[in-house]
Amino acid sequence: MSSFFLKGKPRTATKRKFEKPKPNKKDIPSARKEKEESDEEIDSDEEEEHTIAAASGKKFNFEDEDEGFKETVQDKRLRLAKKYLKEVEDAERVRKEDEEIHDSVSAVLKEDYLESIGRLYREVSTRYKGFDLEKAVNLRCKQQHLSPTCLCLTEDDRFLYVANKNGIIVRWDLTKKERTAVTKSQKTAVLGLAISHDLKFLVVADGTNEIKVLDGTTLEAVNSLSGHSDVVTGVVFRKNTHQLYSCAKDRTVKVWSLDEMLYVETLYGHQTPVTSIDALSRERAVTSGGSDCSIRIWKIVEESQLVYNCPPSTDSVECVKLIGDEHFLSCGTDGSLSVWSSGKKKPMNTVQLAHGKTTNGEANWITAITSLLNTDVIASGSCDGFVRVWRLVGGSKTIEPLMEIPVEGFVNGLTFSSDGKQLIVCVGQEHRLGRWWTLKQAKNRTMVIPLIVADDETKGKRKKKFDH
């Protein structure tokens, strides 16, 4: 029999090259699962809507999706983009308002800091329109029958202290226009007053070589400071401290600490009796040397001094007053009024015969000067019948007249209120330092003169520093 009919092993089918493999039954359920998952996938448009809604901070709302059937895909994208941009703009607007508040607070803090270091300068002279003598208040005390010699005002403008030639000091409440305390008379005239920032101490240069310390409220004696060998002519507190500076006819300047009631040190330099003294927040004092025709700035910490010599035509420097820590005023018996810069040895500007001449051709002494602190407004007084208010022009380089207030008598004291709306004047029949002549038609009194000032009078142009 042929081998063709013989049984043998079955022939295995050979796998062709391009034949597809048959699916395995075990893989069928997983394929169905993948199909179901693919059916649940979100299309690209719907995914973008979810993304934009999440970026805008809102949950996706399927009602919006229902409305979307009425608009195309591009319209929907545009609508959602506009909605997102609007919310971004609202958030940005709120942020900018917060920034504006922050900037305004920063500006106020910066202004307070510049003012504390004496570098805030405001141009307010253009807002002064005049004065109102009809509303002026006259403060008079029967015990003070002689000419007033000096005054000082508290920082809040509420209390005013006035002293006169018979040594009486009166404390006035300016809000009620009544006196609250009076001291007893003495044999010597009071030459200087200074009140501390917290009203704790009232310091008095009472015409002796001692400095009297009184309670600022009751005017009762607290202590006395001894150290000067001649009459004390001026006293001043360093701003917002209990550090006291004094000057005297013994040609010295002394530093005191009233917290411990102790003497600190003595400063030498003037060749003649020191006539006046002033200070602000820095540990510096400025003094006038009288007939030695010099002005000195004492640097207490550095233990040094700056000397400014007046022009040869000056007879004597009687008063000195700080405008800020970098500029100051001076006046003398020759009737000249000068403005100085601490960076220059010569005055920037001088007004000769600022208050005219007497009937015999001599210059009227300037007996008192003051300044509205850190502004371009100053004032001076004499015996010519006017208190003259001046303005500083060109970065304090020029003195120009602003107004003239008629006041009969010797102007022995001047000060502005802190807001510049009032000018307080001590007027007497005699000069505060002597009785060379008498104006009998004058009355011994203290005048509170209202000044007419436009709105925002203390918000003139702000400068970080004075221009030199």
Side-chain angles (χ1 to χ4, degrees):
M1 183 179 286
S2 172
S3 61
F4 178 80
F5 297 101
L6 293 177
K7 293 183 178 179
K9 293 182 180 179
R11 295 175 62 188
T12 58
T14 59
K15 187 177 181 180
R16 295 184 180 181
K17 187 175 183 181
F18 298 100
E19 186 176 0
K20 293 183 179 180
K22 294 183 179 180
N24 194 357
K25 293 183 179 180
K26 295 181 180 180
D27 297 336
I28 293 174
S30 61
R32 290 178 181 174
K33 188 176 180 181
E34 289 178 2
K35 186 178 181 180
E36 291 176 359
E37 289 180 355
S38 64
D39 292 340
E40 293 177 359
E41 288 183 357
I42 302 172
D43 63 337
S44 60
D45 294 338
E46 189 177 354
E47 185 177 2
E48 287 181 4
E49 291 173 3
H50 278 289
T51 305
I52 294 173
S56 63
K58 288 186 176 182
K59 293 182 179 180
F60 181 80
N61 191 355
F62 286 96
E63 293 179 3
D64 297 337
E65 188 178 19
D66 294 338
E67 294 176 0
F69 288 115
K70 300 177 183 179
E71 57 186 356
T72 64
V73 175
Q74 276 196 332
D75 291 339
K76 184 184 289 186
R77 289 179 181 176
L78 183 62
R79 177 173 57 81
L80 293 175
K82 285 181 178 180
K83 187 186 295 185
Y84 173 66
L85 288 175
K86 185 179 180 182
E87 293 179 358
V88 171
E89 288 176 359
D90 293 340
E92 188 70 14
R93 191 177 296 108
V94 172
R95 186 182 64 82
K96 285 186 177 179
E97 288 177 358
D98 294 339
E99 286 182 355
E100 289 177 0
I101 295 173
H102 179 269
D103 293 341
S104 63
V105 172
S106 300
V108 172
L109 293 176
K110 187 175 183 180
E111 180 177 329
D112 292 341
Y113 171 72
L114 291 174
E115 186 173 8
S116 67
I117 63 174
R119 299 207 171 198
L120 176 68
Y121 187 64
R122 298 170 294 169
E123 295 178 352
V124 299
S125 59
T126 55
R127 305 182 189 275
Y128 282 79
K129 307 302 179 183
F131 53 90
D132 192 353
L133 279 180
E134 294 181 358
K135 295 183 180 180
V137 178
N138 293 319
L139 305 177
R140 300 182 67 181
C141 180
K142 291 182 179 179
Q143 291 91 329
Q144 288 184 324
H145 58 275
L146 296 180
S147 299
T149 55
C150 56
L151 57 79
C152 67
L153 184 65
T154 57
E155 291 183 359
D156 59 359
D157 299 332
R158 181 176 178 183
F159 297 106
L160 176 69
Y161 300 85
V162 181
N164 73 334
K165 283 191 173 183
N166 56 350
I168 295 177
I169 302 171
V170 179
R171 181 179 187 258
W172 295 91
D173 187 340
L174 293 183
T175 57
K176 300 178 181 179
K177 303 298 186 295
E178 62 181 21
R179 60 178 181 270
T180 58
V182 182
T183 63
K184 295 180 180 179
S185 63
Q186 59 183 29
K187 295 181 179 179
T188 56
V190 177
L191 300 180
L193 292 173
I195 183 69
S196 61
H197 64 285
D198 54 0
L199 308 186
K200 187 176 181 180
F201 302 116
L202 176 68
V203 179
V204 183
D206 62 350
T208 66
N209 59 357
E210 290 186 349
I211 300 172
K212 301 297 190 297
V213 182
L214 310 181
D215 184 274
T217 304
T218 62
L219 300 186
E220 294 180 357
V222 176
N223 205 342
S224 62
L225 304 175
S226 301
H228 285 288
S229 60
D230 207 337
V231 175
V232 180
T233 56
V235 287
V236 65
F237 277 103
R238 180 187 166 203
K239 195 174 180 181
N240 297 326
T241 69
H242 289 155
Q243 189 175 28
L244 178 72
Y245 306 128
S246 64
C247 62
K249 289 184 178 180
D250 60 2
R251 301 176 293 177
T252 65
V253 176
K254 292 187 182 294
V255 184
W256 312 81
S257 175
L258 263 63
D259 289 324
E260 298 86 9
M261 291 294 173
L262 293 176
Y263 156 82
V264 178
E265 63 177 317
T266 302
L267 309 174
Y268 298 93
H270 283 292
Q271 304 302 312
T272 55
V274 186
T275 55
S276 66
I277 188 169
D278 197 18
L280 290 178
S281 57
R282 300 169 72 181
E283 287 194 67
R284 293 185 179 186
V286 58
T287 56
S288 57
S291 56
D292 73 355
C293 297
S294 71
I295 299 171
R296 295 173 188 257
I297 294 180
W298 306 87
K299 298 182 179 180
I300 310 299
V301 177
E302 296 88 342
E303 296 183 353
S304 62
Q305 56 184 283
L306 301 175
V307 183
Y308 304 86
N309 292 315
C310 297
S313 59
T314 305
D315 295 331
S316 176
V317 185
E318 293 300 311
C319 299
V320 65
K321 188 70 177 178
L322 285 167
I323 303 171
D325 278 335
E326 297 183 4
H327 285 67
F328 56 91
L329 297 170
S330 70
C331 64
T333 56
D334 60 348
S336 62
L337 177 66
S338 300
V339 58
W340 301 73
S341 169
S342 59
K344 295 184 178 180
K345 293 294 184 180
K346 295 181 180 180
M348 293 193 297
N349 186 236
T350 300
V351 178
Q352 301 292 342
L353 301 174
H355 285 261
K357 296 182 179 181
T358 60
T359 54
N360 58 4
E362 295 182 357
N364 285 316
W365 292 10
I366 298 180
T367 53
I369 54 175
T370 189
S371 66
L372 183 56
L373 191 61
N374 292 324
T375 69
D376 57 344
V377 178
I378 61 176
S380 62
S382 183
C383 59
D384 63 333
F386 293 96
V387 172
R388 301 179 188 270
V389 182
W390 311 81
R391 62 191 295 254
L392 302 176
V393 183
S396 303
K397 294 180 180 179
T398 307
I399 304 174
E400 292 183 357
L402 186 59
M403 67 179 82
E404 295 180 354
I405 305 173
V407 175
E408 190 68 32
F410 281 91
V411 179
N412 291 329
L414 281 173
T415 187
F416 283 103
S417 60
S418 60
D419 58 3
K421 294 181 179 180
Q422 293 178 330
L423 179 62
I424 303 174
V425 186
C426 276
V427 188
Q429 294 180 339
E430 301 171 346
H431 192 284
R432 68 186 188 92
L433 298 178
R435 295 182 174 178
W436 297 286
W437 65 91
T438 303
L439 301 176
K440 294 183 179 181
Q441 69 274 18
K443 296 180 181 180
N444 298 323
R445 55 182 173 167
T446 301
M447 301 178 65
V448 181
I449 303 174
L451 301 177
I452 301 174
V453 188
D455 293 337
D456 298 327
E457 63 276 10
T458 60
K459 295 181 181 180
K461 295 180 181 179
R462 297 173 183 174
K463 295 184 180 180
K464 292 183 180 179
K465 295 184 179 181
F466 287 94
D467 297 328
H468 289 284

